Amino acid sequence: MEETVMMQAIMGLIVHSGNTKSECMEAIQLAKKGRISEAKEKINMANEALTEAHHSQTALLTQEARGEKVEVSMLLIHAQDHLMNAITFRDLAQEMIELYEHIKGE
């Protein structure tokens, strides 16, 4: 895989995963204040960012499936770690919003 394309995919993973986590943190803070509908909007935005992160990951997986070597580097491992953390954070944020919604009685 061309180094530039590889770097774009890795940076896409990192950036979009980071955006996912940020949107989720904002969603939790909104839910904490009782602003549940806004929190759910933030989760939707997080899901969009997560989809973009998955597109970056898919580009790498597709190259590997085609038989093109994808060099595993610390940066790639770091990017994958960001993605996995973003997914976990999104799942927990959704649960927390549901809890706040239940507590607030909406």
Side-chain angles (χ1 to χ4, degrees), residues 61-73:
L61 294 172
T62 300
Q63 293 298 331
E64 185 85 20
R66 288 183 183 151
E68 297 176 30
K69 179 100 172 104
V70 174
E71 183 180 334
V72 177
S73 66

Side-chain angles (χ1 to χ4, degrees), residues 20-40:
T20 299
K21 192 173 174 189
S22 293
E23 295 291 356
C24 288
M25 183 54 85
E26 289 181 35
I28 292 168
Q29 295 305 314
L30 287 165
K32 191 181 209 180
K33 294 174 185 173
R35 296 163 57 185
I36 304 300
S37 62
E38 291 173 76
K40 289 180 179 181

